[in-house]
Amino acid sequence: MYSLDDFTLESNKKIKFNFDGGDLSSDAGLLLIKEFIAKMGLDKLIDKAFKTNDSAKFRIHEDGDNLQQVLYQILSAYFTDDCADELTSDPVFTTILDKPALASQPTLSRFYNRLDMDTLNQLEEICRALRRTAYSIAPPKMVLFDLDSTLLETYGKQEGEAFNFHYQARGYHPLLCYDGLTRDLLKVELRKGSDHCSNGIAEFVKPLLDEYQKDYPDIDMFLRGDSGFATPELYSLCETNGVAYAIKLKSNKTLQNLASGLLGELGDLTKENIVSYAVVYGEFLYQAGTWEYPRRVVCKVEKQQDHMFPVTSYIVTNMEMSPEDVVMYYRNRGCMENFIKEGKGGFDFAAVSSSSEIVNANRFQTHALAYNIFNYFRRFALPESMKNHMVDTIWLKLMKIAAKLMRSGRYFIFKLCSSFAYKREFCKTLENIRCLRPQLA
């Protein structure tokens, strides 16, 4: 027997549907994230270490709960505050957050507007504490500081936004530092849109070096950066802190003169064959006008196949590898573009919609925290066959899963789709989480 609320397809009268299916959700994969966050102790850490300067004596939705809701929303691709109104009674969200209803859009917006420099420092400390927990599971032998900047576009009059000539667009121009070996986002800093890449780069990197020297003295440190970060302050900082670096230099007449011998060598190689690919490597000491002393510069002169003229590139380094190995080491930093692309597309790094710069800095840091939670989840919890997947693929396979909530006197039972294609991977992920033995702060 069908109710009056049934709908019938005109294309096939035998097909009917209604909205009486019960408590359904399309985000059952968040149960895995919930288990992982609890295993890493992040929920307790947020309750302990995060508090806004709130003048209200009582709120139904407390600061820690709001932050966790925001993180779960970002991790399931609900990026805007408005999404909270659509998820108010979602059975997965309300169950993992242990609340009868989620905070609404106005509540989240007011929460964001309370964020200030104190909360920004708290979020950075939470990121550091989470990193310590991750390293207690699998301590790395080395860390590779990959530096880059990007543009977060803005719309309208927002504090600190400006026109950036490199990107030919208005927005913020933040600094980012990834670990090029693990994809971890080690540090972010929102900056004014008109700031040059190198502005404040030494001050940005130094706290990271201090952290690793203090907390992880046995980890070898390496650093890469493009020519936008070619400053003597950064070179000196690396040299005095035992960091092996390779940073690209922009070409100038002095460098060209020093590399002239390599151009002649390339000419000899291509004398009989000007069509095929050819490359030569070399090195020399070079001292720019702002440098206190000469430094090693590795040079590559390359002629692509069917090209008439060679391209010369220069890398300043304190590494002792051969010139060819230094160039190959530097070239691998191209992965940074993929990391940033995943951060923007998969975690909405550009969600800087507030009129306040400090609020936008907190938003950026929150989305960076969500990125790191997911990256640790990918590295420690996912089965081997999925560890190299991008976030949108993992959403498709493990996150966006239909489930129905059944309640009993003591339990919440989520019934997942019987024909779920990745049941084996789902169960393996849960098993991997349960096998983790992190040392919690």
Side-chain angles (χ1 to χ4, degrees):
M1 180 177 180
Y2 296 104
S3 70
L4 296 177
D5 292 331
D6 286 338
F7 296 88
T8 304
L9 296 184
E10 292 184 356
S11 59
N12 188 337
K13 300 294 185 180
K14 295 181 180 180
I15 300 177
K16 296 180 179 289
F17 64 92
N18 59 46
F19 293 95
D20 296 329
D23 290 332
L24 299 174
S25 175
S26 61
D27 295 289
L30 282 180
L31 299 172
L32 295 175
I33 299 292
K34 162 68 175 177
E35 189 77 350
F36 181 74
I37 284 178
K39 193 74 172 184
M40 299 292 283
L42 181 61
D43 48 354
K44 295 180 180 178
L45 178 62
I46 288 174
D47 289 338
K48 177 182 177 181
F50 184 81
K51 184 72 174 71
T52 67
N53 293 314
D54 188 5
S55 59
K57 295 183 178 179
F58 172 77
R59 289 190 184 274
I60 296 176
H61 303 283
E62 298 182 352
D63 291 331
D65 295 336
N66 290 335
L67 179 58
Q68 289 197 57
Q69 178 180 329
V70 167
L71 290 172
Y72 278 114
Q73 286 189 201
I74 297 170
L75 288 165
S76 50
Y78 298 110
F79 298 130
T80 66
D81 298 355
D82 293 339
C83 292
D85 290 339
E86 302 170 7
L87 300 169
T88 301
S89 301
D90 183 276
V92 169
F93 276 89
T94 54
T95 302
I96 62 179
L97 291 169
D98 195 19
K99 300 171 71 173
L102 268 62
S104 63
Q105 174 270 317
T107 299
L108 289 187
S109 296
R110 288 192 293 268
F111 163 72
Y112 271 124
N113 289 333
R114 294 197 298 273
L115 303 185
D116 53 18
M117 186 56 70
D118 288 340
T119 56
L120 184 62
N121 292 332
Q122 292 169 20
L123 289 170
E124 290 178 349
E125 181 53 43
I126 289 172
C127 283
R128 287 192 289 268
L130 186 61
R131 180 157 56 244
R132 285 195 294 271
T133 302
Y135 282 7
S136 73
I137 298 173
K141 295 181 179 180
M142 62 184 67
V143 62
L144 175 52
F145 300 119
D146 261 334
L147 301 175
D148 211 340
S149 63
T150 189
L151 183 80
L152 305 181
E153 292 192 21
T154 53
Y155 306 91
K157 296 182 179 179
Q158 293 169 249
E159 183 183 8
E161 67 88 30
F163 183 78
N164 187 283
F165 285 92
H166 176 75
Y167 292 97
Q168 290 293 296
R170 300 192 69 87
Y172 293 107
H173 189 206
L175 285 173
L176 305 97
C177 180
Y178 286 86
D179 182 348
L181 303 176
T182 62
R183 305 187 200 178
D184 296 346
L185 183 50
L186 303 178
K187 188 175 181 181
V188 298
E189 181 181 311
L190 193 71
R191 301 185 305 169
K192 299 185 184 303
S194 57
D195 281 354
H196 187 268
C197 288
S198 61
N199 284 11
I201 186 60
E203 293 80 3
F204 174 79
V205 172
K206 189 177 187 308
L208 269 179
L209 303 188
D210 292 343
E211 174 191 347
Y212 274 81
Q213 286 181 330
K214 177 183 176 182
D215 297 341
Y216 320 109
D218 296 329
I219 295 179
D220 295 328
M221 296 184 289
F222 298 82
L223 182 143
R224 292 187 298 207
D226 62 23
S227 59
F229 302 104
T231 65
E233 293 81 11
L234 183 58
Y235 309 151
S236 298
L237 181 67
C238 292
E239 291 161 358
T240 55
N241 286 275
V243 180
Y245 66 86
I247 300 173
K248 193 172 184 180
L249 291 176
K250 291 181 179 179
S251 179
N252 59 47
K253 289 185 177 180
T254 304
L255 289 171
Q256 292 168 9
N257 291 334
L258 291 169
S260 59
L262 294 175
L263 286 168
E265 185 178 339
L266 185 72
D268 293 338
L269 286 176
T270 58
K271 184 185 302 182
E272 303 297 332
N273 184 353
I274 63 173
V275 177
S276 299
Y277 174 85
V279 61
V280 294
Y281 299 90
E283 61 178 289
F284 45 80
L285 291 177
Y286 167 71
Q287 181 176 1
T290 57
W291 298 5
E292 296 180 357
Y293 44 83
R295 292 182 169 92
R296 182 191 185 203
V297 171
V298 167
C299 180
K300 173 187 176 184
V301 184
E302 179 180 36
K303 188 193 77 63
Q304 296 289 346
Q305 185 170 347
D306 298 328
H307 284 215
M308 288 287 292
F309 302 103
V311 176
T312 306
S313 56
Y314 309 92
I315 300 171
V316 59
T317 183
N318 64 345
M319 304 174 73
E320 297 180 353
M321 297 189 299
S322 68
E324 184 174 358
D325 288 340
V326 171
V327 171
M328 292 300 297
Y329 163 80
Y330 176 82
R331 283 180 59 186
N332 289 331
R333 76 173 298 277
C335 294
M336 276 283 291
E337 297 299 328
N338 293 329
F339 300 164
I340 294 175
K341 185 182 296 184
E342 184 178 39
K344 286 184 171 181
F347 300 91
D348 198 23
F349 282 1
V352 286
S353 56
S354 174
S355 60
S356 166
E357 185 176 3
I358 188 62
V359 171
N360 285 329
N362 277 272
R363 282 182 176 268
F364 187 32
Q365 187 68 54
T366 301
H367 286 247
L369 175 58
Y371 170 93
N372 277 327
I373 294 170
F374 190 87
N375 196 52
Y376 294 139
F377 171 78
R378 173 167 49 193
R379 189 155 86 247
F380 298 135
L382 291 184
E384 290 296 328
S385 60
M386 301 182 73
K387 286 186 183 296
N388 291 323
H389 288 352
M390 300 294 282
V391 60
D392 51 353
T393 304
I394 298 172
W395 279 337
L396 181 65
K397 292 183 177 181
L398 282 188
M399 295 290 106
K400 298 299 180 179
I401 308 169
K404 182 176 182 178
L405 174 60
M406 305 294 291
R407 294 179 176 87
S408 67
R410 298 176 59 187
Y411 301 105
F412 297 93
I413 303 172
F414 284 94
K415 293 184 174 292
L416 276 63
C417 177
S418 301
S419 58
F420 176 38
Y422 298 97
K423 177 181 177 181
R424 181 181 301 175
E425 288 80 1
F426 190 96
C427 294
K428 180 60 176 176
T429 300
L430 187 60
E431 178 186 343
N432 289 344
I433 294 172
R434 290 174 175 172
C435 291
L436 294 177
R437 296 293 182 268
Q439 297 178 11
L440 304 183

